[in-house]
Amino acid sequence: MSKHGDLKAILEQEGFAVIPDFFTKEETAQILSVITNADTTRPTFRKAKDLFAIRQFLKEIPEVTGKIFNDKLKNFISEVFGNKYFVVKSIYFDKPGQSNWFVAYHQDLTISVDRKSEIPGFGPWTTKQNQFAVQPPLELLQGNFTMRIHLDDTDENNGALKVIPHSHAKGLYRPETIDRNIETETICNVPEGGIMLMKPLLLHASGKTTNDRKRRVIHIEYSSSNLPDDLNWSEQYAIF
């Protein structure tokens, strides 16, 4: 078995996995350099005191794709998941060092698509910043995975994700029903250059920053599913 051969099994069982030191410091610096030099005036760039975010990140800054999807990452995805997956969503998050922004426990239940269409099993629908989002059938979400590329050392003091292991296997799991006597919480510390894999249905949250350190993360969602009735992903990038 190759060194990454058991990662998919861990991801399916636990709902998440952390691979430290995947990108070198030089590689993360190159990625950040491209982001720093980008034009931030477009509407998909969200700027606030507590957050700077770029939606449709790979589409907005195409120069960064070669830095992220180098041979090492493409070989990793192929080895762990196969060659049928493609990117369906990408967001860059920059959580400033003094941010008081936090996210409560939730599952990632929606996908981003190009338009609204009445399709059985798809709904409810929402629209944010001219982007259509819909909750698809659970089977579609269960086949997807998310990758978070960390460009800073991240721990419980600057917004590392907190997760409930195995919660992805329980279908729709409302945060208010979490039984703290049964469930355990894990804090996913990830060093600079590390990546975190997670299933969309995994319950996860993040806290406020308390140590005055930045937390910059590239969030990428992958799928191998085609959408029905000529519905299209709002963002799609072929890895292979």
Side-chain angles (χ1 to χ4, degrees):
M1 181 176 293
S2 63
K3 65 177 181 178
H4 298 306
D6 58 348
L7 266 178
K8 188 173 184 180
I10 294 172
L11 184 62
E12 293 295 336
Q13 180 179 350
E14 300 290 329
F16 70 100
V18 174
I19 304 93
D21 305 320
F22 190 92
F23 290 92
T24 66
K25 288 187 177 296
E26 181 182 359
E27 289 168 338
T28 58
Q30 290 173 350
I31 292 170
L32 285 169
S33 176
V34 174
I35 297 169
T36 300
N37 292 320
D39 175 9
T40 64
T41 62
R42 296 189 291 274
T44 49
F45 288 62
R46 177 184 169 192
K47 290 177 282 188
K49 182 178 69 173
D50 286 337
L51 173 67
F52 172 59
I54 307 172
R55 296 184 179 278
Q56 298 196 23
F57 173 62
L58 298 179
K59 184 186 293 186
E60 290 291 343
I61 310 181
E63 315 90 87
V64 82
T65 55
K67 306 292 185 185
I68 294 172
F69 292 100
N70 55 24
D71 288 343
K72 182 179 179 181
L73 184 60
K74 288 193 288 187
N75 290 337
F76 171 81
I77 294 171
S78 176
E79 184 178 296
V80 178
F81 300 100
N83 296 333
K84 294 182 179 180
Y85 278 85
F86 47 88
V87 173
V88 295
K89 189 174 186 177
S90 62
I91 309 174
Y92 169 74
F93 292 109
D94 181 350
K95 193 172 189 177
Q98 295 181 328
S99 176
N100 62 4
W101 167 58
F102 72 97
V103 178
Y105 268 108
H106 67 286
Q107 296 173 298
D108 291 337
L109 295 176
T110 64
I111 58 173
S112 297
V113 294
D114 63 337
R115 59 188 171 85
K116 183 175 180 179
S117 180
E118 297 303 323
I119 300 173
F122 285 72
W125 290 79
T126 59
T127 306
K128 181 187 293 184
Q129 295 180 321
N130 297 318
Q131 296 292 307
F132 296 100
V134 63
Q135 183 172 323
L138 283 185
E139 306 83 65
L140 190 152
L141 293 174
Q142 289 166 342
N144 291 359
F145 72 94
T146 297
M147 177 183 294
R148 292 169 58 89
I149 301 171
H150 285 249
L151 304 176
D152 298 291
D153 291 334
T154 308
D155 59 26
E156 65 273 17
N157 297 311
N158 66 331
L161 283 193
K162 299 178 289 186
V163 304
I164 304 295
H166 315 294
S167 55
H168 67 296
K170 299 182 180 182
L172 291 178
Y173 194 167
R174 301 301 179 190
E176 60 271 18
T177 67
I178 298 174
D179 187 342
R180 298 291 183 173
N181 294 316
I182 299 175
E183 306 286 19
T184 58
E185 178 181 272
T186 297
I187 298 174
C188 300
N189 296 339
V190 185
E192 176 189 339
I195 61 176
M196 177 181 174
L197 302 173
M198 58 183 286
K199 300 293 288 183
L201 296 180
L202 182 75
L203 276 169
H204 58 285
S206 67
K208 300 177 181 180
T209 297
T210 60
N211 64 359
D212 199 30
R213 282 170 36 206
K214 294 173 73 68
R215 189 213 66 180
R216 293 167 292 186
V217 174
I218 298 169
H219 172 107
I220 303 176
E221 298 178 14
Y222 301 80
S223 183
S224 60
S225 299
N226 294 316
L227 299 176
D229 294 352
D230 296 323
L231 191 66
N232 298 304
W233 300 96
S234 63
E235 178 183 6
Q236 186 167 336
Y237 174 77
I239 305 166
F240 304 105

